[in-house]
Amino acid sequence: MTNRLIETQSLYLRKHAENPIDWWYWCDEALNQARQEDKPIFLSIGYSSCHWCTVMEGEAFSNPQIAEYMNANFLPIKVDREERPDIDSIYMQALQMMTGQGGWPLNIFLSPDDLVPFYGGTYFPVEPRFGMPGFMQVLQAIRRFYDTEKTKLQSVKQEIYQNLRQTAVVPGTGEEFPPELLQKGAEVNTKVLSFEGFGNSFPMIPYAENVLRSSRFSGISQEHDPKQAAVQRGIVLATGGICDHVAGGFHRYTVDATWTVPHFEKMLYDNGQILEYLANLWSAGIKESVFQEAMAGILAWLRREMTAPEGYFYASQDADSFTNPDDEEPEEGGFYVWQYQDLEYLLDSEEMMALESAFTVSPQGNFEGHNVLQRRTRDPLSDAAKSALRKLFRIRYGHNPEAIDTFPPATNNQEAKTGNWEGRIPPVTDTKAIVAWNSLTISGLARAYAVLGEIEYLQPAVRAAQFILNHQWVNGRLHRVNYNGEAAVPAQGEDYALLVKALLDLHQASLREGTAAQTGVEAQTWLEKAMQVQKEFDDRMYCVEMGGYFNTAEDSSNELLVRERSYMDNATPSTNGVAAGNLVRLAMLSRDLQYLDHAKETIQSFDKIMTETPQACPVLFSALDWYQNYTVVRTSRDRLGELLGSYLPACVLQVESALPAGAIALVCQGLTCKEPSQTPEHMWEQIQFSQNRHL
């Protein structure tokens, strides 16, 4: 028997279609039925590659006794957070208010009359363990509380709802930016990135990008050196176990402070951001060979495993995989880890010695008796170590790297277990396209091309962008996801903001001489498309009263408790931080100063947050840097290659075919153009001064 989730297209929801729980997906019919039957709603939110979501699906959600009680006493709703980040954001904030922490699976109980939450948690075991009650105990206690403690229930709900309203209506001061604000953001976010504590280690690219921007500022008194912090973040990423040194790409995070053992899922959004960050480090003169290897690894992984025939990028790959077709449950990291005795058998003595010298390999292993490969140093690998990695690749995939152009995805557990795999059984791939995540990857690829000049990076970015532009509009409206060629779910704020950024990044990269001839798309086309998407974004989501952008359009917000404006950066950059930076770039490239007004209004609407909690919003500080230090450089196309390959985080570039006699460039500092640059030295002096003028 299957439940109604079998009707959905979401891989995450369909994974729960055979649960005995009578799941609903989020819809008006489900919400109305909960009200009519006066059943509290059990809302469970997760995503397909989430390890603990998978664990709970196989345990509590597959338990017949729990399902019987759940179906009789609650209205259970499943939500894929990747489809509906707006719902996830609201209830994650509520959970953090209740418990002081969050995570997925996000399991929360709502009152059916107003959808206000009153209790929540993350993973619940079937039986009491880990200091947690069993899930049946939780359900019984919640239902008893709902039925017998109405006064207390209303009090709890009122407090949570008021707090949610306060966080949604963030007041700005409307005043001019204090001169020290940008410096304060640089100092605080450098400290955040430099923290070496305990527990999980995340890429934190929104912070790393802001700190790298700050490294160009001189004379700032800081506890930590921003350049050192930015470089160190790149090194631990490129050498750590978070990087798949055998086949390329990055895992989600590591479960330790030493960057050794990852949570093995691979997310598109991480890899796009890391690619752009490593390219920026390279352009800033930090030309570590491990950065180039990691960038090439991301590209290889994207092309081999994460690109649909139509050109868009898939969303993610699971952490877990089957080690044997007869296994009932997949194992965490099974596709990626190595037993020492297997390595001894597979490699010759020289290769084994080289692998042990270059990577953390030992008989006892570093992950449940297995080995996760982590580089010991950032020194170039020896030929013997490279040969060892090629053999390990062949064990995983059945062929050498050059023999595989594309590796077909396993789209569910059954396909994974029954596929005719010549190597190991791969993890399941979630093959939906998400506009925001594709856009992050397009930006990363475009920046890598701009810096390295290798067309292999730009070609997949162009294909993905063209797919979005040609297939993600339905009835004149951008849609967020695509399932097997079918657009679904109206776009959210992050989709608009990140798509505009991606199109602007493609515009800048395409200024390289000869690029249009290779891609078939003129640079100006990307700018025009960016302006069109920005107009739709403005029309649907700009907040006239307060400034900034809502997460959702008004006609998509009726069932939501609050209509949020995202300003906090998490695994991905915030909608409003990205949008404000885009608006400055659009103003400079189009010479339409209304964009600049909107940029200022957007940043000002969150200036109180920036002053009080700068660690919450590094991308808004990057936008402030754009606003205060924006610079336009107009020069001939043959000189643009050098500029594109340099780190100029507050500059936009334009081709100028009519330079004054004897000039090589025109540098405009804000709305004022400086005297024409007569020499390269003069041009660089003007650029550096303009980019640093507000510090």
Side-chain angles (χ1 to χ4, degrees):
M1 287 289 291
T2 57
N3 55 52
R4 58 182 61 80
L5 296 186
I6 197 68
E7 304 165 8
T8 68
Q9 293 178 299
S10 160
L11 175 61
Y12 174 67
L13 299 187
R14 290 175 70 89
K15 283 183 175 181
H16 295 76
E18 295 183 4
N19 293 161
I21 291 176
D22 188 21
W23 289 113
W24 286 82
Y25 45 86
W26 185 276
C27 62
D28 289 340
E29 186 180 357
L31 302 179
N32 290 334
Q33 182 164 322
R35 294 187 190 102
Q36 291 167 7
E37 298 180 1
D38 191 27
K39 284 184 175 179
I41 293 169
F42 172 64
L43 176 63
S44 183
I45 304 175
Y47 57 102
S48 65
S49 58
C50 167
H51 172 71
W52 287 105
C53 300
T54 302
V55 171
M56 198 162 178
E57 185 280 323
E59 294 179 349
F61 297 155
S62 295
N63 183 286
Q65 290 75 35
I66 287 175
E68 183 180 5
Y69 189 85
M70 173 78 77
N71 295 338
N73 292 278
F74 297 88
L75 194 293
I77 298 179
K78 261 286 169 196
V79 167
D80 183 342
R81 70 176 296 261
E82 295 171 357
E83 282 189 337
R84 293 298 303 266
D86 52 342
I87 296 173
D88 176 68
S89 175
I90 292 168
Y91 291 109
M92 181 59 73
Q93 281 199 60
L95 179 64
Q96 290 168 340
M97 291 172 188
M98 296 174 190
T99 68
Q101 57 188 3
W104 297 275
L106 164 55
N107 294 308
I108 198 161
F109 296 85
L110 318 181
S111 181
D113 56 335
D114 52 16
L115 306 183
V116 176
F118 59 91
Y119 183 83
T122 53
Y123 168 76
F124 290 109
V126 174
E127 301 294 338
R129 58 176 174 160
F130 308 136
M132 294 184 289
F135 192 42
M136 180 67 87
Q137 292 175 281
V138 172
L139 293 176
Q140 291 170 339
I142 291 298
R143 183 68 214 211
R144 186 165 53 250
F145 175 77
Y146 180 78
D147 290 335
T148 63
E149 300 282 351
K150 294 296 186 182
T151 301
K152 189 173 182 181
L153 174 66
Q154 291 302 318
S155 175
V156 170
K157 286 169 46 181
Q158 184 177 8
E159 181 180 358
I160 292 171
Y161 181 67
Q162 287 177 345
N163 287 335
L164 287 172
R165 289 285 299 172
Q166 288 174 1
T167 60
V169 184
V170 180
T173 67
E175 299 174 358
E176 292 301 315
F177 303 116
E180 71 279 2
L181 184 58
L182 190 58
Q183 175 179 335
K184 181 178 181 181
E187 293 175 352
V188 170
N189 289 309
T190 300
K191 186 175 182 179
V192 170
L193 193 69
S194 302
F195 177 72
E196 296 180 1
F198 49 87
N200 300 335
S201 299
F202 292 87
M204 298 176 66
I205 300 302
Y207 289 88
E209 283 285 8
N210 180 253
V211 171
L212 181 59
R213 297 177 77 95
S214 304
S215 68
R216 76 183 196 276
F217 302 146
S218 60
I220 297 181
S221 174
Q222 297 194 42
E223 182 181 348
H224 302 279
D225 176 17
K227 183 173 182 179
Q228 181 180 346
V231 173
Q232 182 62 20
R233 181 49 50 110
I235 289 171
V236 295
L237 287 171
T239 61
I242 194 172
C243 179
D244 182 355
H245 299 285
V246 171
F250 283 79
H251 302 292
R252 177 69 195 91
Y253 62 93
T254 65
V255 298
D256 48 50
T258 57
W259 296 92
T260 303
V261 177
H263 228 303
F264 290 93
E265 65 263 38
K266 288 182 177 179
M267 311 300 295
L268 184 66
Y269 60 74
D270 284 317
N271 283 273
Q273 291 180 89
I274 291 171
L275 179 56
E276 182 173 7
Y277 182 63
L278 294 176
N280 281 334
L281 283 172
W282 190 270
S283 71
I286 318 299
K287 299 188 186 315
E288 295 279 354
S289 61
V290 289
F291 296 168
Q292 195 167 30
E293 291 166 9
M295 287 188 281
I298 293 173
L299 175 62
W301 171 70
L302 288 171
R303 296 174 69 174
R304 183 181 60 246
E305 301 176 47
M306 295 296 287
T307 303
E310 298 84 355
Y312 62 82
F313 301 116
Y314 301 143
S316 62
Q317 291 178 324
D318 283 2
D320 307 336
S321 59
F322 296 97
T323 56
N324 188 296
D326 298 325
D327 292 342
E328 289 190 13
E329 296 293 337
E331 291 185 16
E332 186 178 8
F335 191 62
Y336 301 104
V337 298
W338 308 92
Q339 288 192 319
Y340 188 82
Q341 57 266 38
D342 291 339
L343 294 173
E344 287 185 307
Y345 175 77
L346 295 168
L347 306 177
D348 64 34
S349 59
E350 183 183 5
E351 291 167 338
M352 188 67 188
M353 187 180 300
L355 193 72
E356 288 184 284
S357 175
F359 294 92
T360 54
V361 175
S362 67
Q364 58 269 35
N366 52 23
F367 172 67
E368 299 178 357
H370 294 76
N371 286 277
V372 174
L373 299 186
Q374 179 180 22
R375 294 275 286 266
R376 295 185 185 275
T377 73
R378 58 184 188 268
D379 297 334
L381 294 176
S382 67
D383 290 341
K386 291 178 182 178
S387 176
L389 294 179
R390 281 172 54 82
K391 284 187 177 180
L392 299 186
F393 184 99
R394 188 164 65 244
I395 294 300
R396 262 205 221 160
Y397 294 92
H399 297 279
N400 288 330
E402 64 274 10
I404 302 179
D405 291 327
T406 58
F407 187 74
T411 61
N412 56 54
N413 283 348
Q414 186 63 21
E415 281 188 18
K417 294 174 72 169
T418 60
N420 185 25
W421 311 108
E422 297 184 66
R424 291 178 169 182
I425 300 173
V428 169
T429 298
D430 187 343
T431 57
K432 70 174 176 286
I434 300 176
V435 169
W437 300 6
N438 269 254
S439 299
L440 284 167
T441 307
I442 292 166
S443 287
L445 290 164
R447 184 59 185 151
Y449 168 70
V451 172
L452 301 174
E454 298 174 14
I455 195 65
E456 292 81 7
Y457 285 94
L458 190 63
Q459 288 167 333
V462 169
R463 287 192 68 208
Q466 289 176 326
F467 178 86
I468 292 171
L469 294 171
N470 292 333
H471 297 282
Q472 287 306 114
W473 266 262
V474 178
N475 298 324
R477 182 176 194 163
L478 177 63
H479 278 58
R480 173 174 174 79
V481 299
N482 190 288
Y483 292 107
N484 300 315
E486 182 180 342
V489 185
Q492 307 223 337
E494 68 171 6
D495 299 301
Y496 284 103
L498 291 168
L499 179 55
V500 172
K501 179 182 182 298
L503 295 170
L504 292 173
D505 292 336
L506 283 170
H507 168 264
Q508 292 289 279
S510 298
L511 295 175
R512 261 191 180 275
E513 195 165 15
T515 300
Q518 296 182 81
T519 64
V521 185
E522 295 290 340
Q524 186 64 21
T525 300
W526 299 121
L527 176 58
E528 292 168 358
K529 293 296 184 183
M531 294 167 67
Q532 292 170 14
V533 177
Q534 183 64 47
K535 184 180 186 308
E536 184 176 329
F537 189 19
D538 289 341
D539 292 344
R540 291 192 177 276
M541 297 187 186
Y542 190 73
C543 178
V544 176
E545 295 82 3
M546 294 182 289
Y549 292 85
F550 290 113
N551 292 357
T552 53
E554 187 170 7
D555 61 359
S556 301
S557 306
N558 296 333
E559 79 277 28
L560 300 180
L561 273 180
V562 292
R563 195 177 177 201
E564 292 184 308
R565 294 175 302 140
S566 169
Y567 61 85
M568 292 181 64
D569 302 299
N570 295 296
T572 55
S574 70
T575 294
N576 280 285
V578 174
N582 291 342
L583 289 165
V584 177
R585 297 170 75 186
L586 284 166
M588 296 303 97
L589 291 167
S590 69
R591 306 183 192 184
D592 182 349
L593 296 186
Q594 284 189 334
Y595 289 124
L596 202 60
D597 293 337
H598 271 186
K600 183 178 182 180
E601 291 167 3
T602 298
I603 301 169
Q604 278 184 327
S605 69
F606 302 102
D607 61 359
K608 187 176 180 183
I609 291 291
M610 295 171 73
T611 300
E612 295 177 353
T613 56
Q615 68 274 17
C617 49
V619 177
L620 275 169
F621 281 96
S622 296
L624 179 61
D625 181 18
W626 268 113
Y627 180 78
Q628 293 188 326
N629 294 299
Y630 60 85
T631 300
V632 183
V633 182
R634 300 185 177 92
T635 189
S636 58
R637 192 177 293 275
D638 61 350
R639 195 171 294 278
L640 283 172
E642 178 188 3
L643 292 168
L644 285 165
S646 302
Y647 187 58
L648 304 173
C651 276
V652 296
L653 307 177
Q654 289 185 309
V655 176
E656 180 58 68
S657 57
L659 291 167
I664 65 166
L666 293 172
V667 177
C668 296
Q669 177 180 308
L671 302 178
T672 304
C673 289
K674 312 305 289 182
E675 62 177 304
S677 306
Q678 302 295 323
T679 65
E681 293 76 17
H682 189 203
M683 176 187 70
W684 283 109
E685 181 183 342
Q686 289 180 324
I687 291 172
Q688 297 305 330
F689 179 83
S690 179
Q691 281 202 126
N692 296 308
R693 64 186 182 272
H694 272 277
L695 277 168

